[in-house]
Amino acid sequence: FRSDRKLAQQLHLKPTATLLTIGPVINRPRGLAVWREHHGGTNTTLNLSSLLGCRPKGLSGLGCAPPRKPDSFDINHGCTMIFGSSPWKQAPADVPRRSVVQHFIARLCLFLLCGLHAAHLHAEKSVVISTHYDNPPFWQSDGQGLTQLLASKLTQLGQGSYTFSAEILPRKRLDVLIANPQWAGIIPWVIPAWFGDSGRTNFHWTAPLMQDADLVVSKKPIDYNSSKSLIGLRFGGILGHRYLDIEPLIDGKKIVRQDTKDLEANLRKLDLERIDFTFIPKSTWEYLRTKESNPFGHLTTAKRAREIYELRLLVHLGDPKLEDFLAQAIQQLARDSEWQRAIQAYSYAEPKSR
């Protein structure tokens, strides 16, 4: 009950309540309205009458008969408000009839409290951000990766409406995940072509988060102009990843592809000259360059980038509220100084022509 913490404290209400009941009170002379909480096998009854100013006299012992069969409605998550019949209709004759307005106000207040409780239960929607990038700067073991920062920023911007968490999945598992019609989540740092959705009809795509590029990295310099510049060389790929520009050459056995589990393994193979080249995101290359101890500092990149692209969020279809939220969030991130510092350090800027 965030809207009135003081009231919640006075009532000692717990957000774990699963059954809310309005009805007559037994052995409570001043009580008409009560909050009954049934949770984990416990039954707690709180007198709300004194707080609401309902002070009927003459109620003692078994002065009120049980209410008639209640009318109820479901508010999901097991939260149910039950309205019993007015106790005055079955009260003993010696009990004076009090103000119907006070009685109505008491019930209305409890109804609003239940509504607030239900709203709280519905307020936070959990969204999982699944990524196949397990390397810096997108993912770091200390929790400072861009994907982890993205989840934190989106949760802050959600202001209780959404909570975002991040996880790593291999690319093949990502493909299986998003093929499930029940999947509801986000894939960050991707472009439509990588997921066979150039027409943008299978998924919702947000505005760009940042611009990145694939660089051709090797131990011996390569004069790269196009995929034909790589004919006759050994390529280090990553399991499950597709490389559309060189796949025809691989299928034609003009380039030999050798896969490893991750980018770092390919860089080690380059260092040992077991492969001739691999592709590395400019963002990752910049991260390696900033490290004090860079074991791959002697490797080189071609002057021309293999591919330049704008990284976006892939979002499941059918959730316009989430789509609207993400659209506004990306606009807000563009004005967030911490976020901008983080991504600008790794974004690709095309060399200026001389």
Side-chain angles (χ1 to χ4, degrees), residues 115-334:
L116 288 172
H117 177 67
H120 174 72
L121 288 174
H122 284 283
E124 294 187 359
K125 180 178 180 180
S126 298
V127 181
V128 179
I129 302 175
S130 305
T131 180
H132 57 296
Y133 287 118
D134 58 356
N135 53 274
F138 299 106
W139 193 275
Q140 297 187 45
S141 58
D142 61 1
Q144 300 302 308
L146 291 181
T147 304
Q148 293 133 310
L149 178 60
L150 175 64
S152 175
K153 287 291 183 181
L154 290 178
T155 298
Q156 292 176 18
L157 293 173
Q159 298 181 342
S161 297
Y162 293 97
T163 57
F164 294 84
S165 59
E167 66 174 4
I168 295 177
L169 290 178
R171 174 56 196 268
K172 287 187 176 181
R173 286 187 60 188
L174 271 187
D175 291 337
V176 173
L177 178 69
I178 64 177
N180 185 344
Q182 303 302 318
W183 172 71
I186 295 174
I187 311 295
W189 321 116
V190 291
I191 66 175
W194 296 349
F195 288 83
D197 194 26
S198 297
R200 304 189 185 188
T201 57
N202 298 327
F203 307 101
H204 173 75
W205 296 90
T206 68
L209 287 173
M210 63 180 284
Q211 182 169 270
D212 205 348
D214 266 3
L215 307 179
V216 180
V217 59
S218 59
K219 192 168 185 178
K220 299 177 182 179
I222 294 177
D223 184 15
Y224 176 81
N225 291 304
S226 68
S227 57
K228 293 181 179 180
S229 305
L230 307 173
I231 291 177
L233 301 179
R234 297 167 298 173
F235 167 62
I238 297 177
L239 288 168
H241 287 223
R242 297 195 62 186
Y243 307 92
L244 300 178
D245 57 330
I246 63 172
E247 281 183 0
L249 297 174
I250 294 173
D251 294 339
K253 298 184 179 180
K254 294 182 179 181
I255 293 177
V256 178
R257 175 174 175 171
Q258 300 178 15
D259 282 351
T260 58
K261 64 175 183 177
D262 55 35
L263 179 58
E264 185 176 350
N266 274 329
L267 295 178
R268 288 197 298 267
K269 289 180 70 175
L270 260 183
D271 190 35
L272 297 172
E273 298 186 5
R274 294 179 180 175
I275 56 175
D276 299 310
F277 74 97
T278 190
F279 300 138
I280 184 172
K282 189 264 185 185
S283 51
T284 301
W285 185 250
E286 288 300 320
Y287 174 83
L288 292 174
R289 289 178 58 183
T290 60
K291 293 186 65 175
E292 293 183 3
S293 56
N294 178 10
F296 309 112
H298 57 285
L299 299 179
T300 184
T301 59
K303 293 182 179 180
R304 180 171 179 169
R306 170 208 172 212
E307 183 182 12
I308 302 171
Y309 40 79
E310 292 180 321
L311 299 176
R312 306 168 185 267
L313 298 180
L314 179 160
V315 188
H316 68 281
L317 291 176
D319 194 341
K321 289 185 178 180
L322 178 60
E323 294 172 9
D324 291 343
F325 165 76
L326 291 174
Q328 296 177 15
I330 291 176
Q331 292 179 2
Q332 291 175 287
L333 289 175

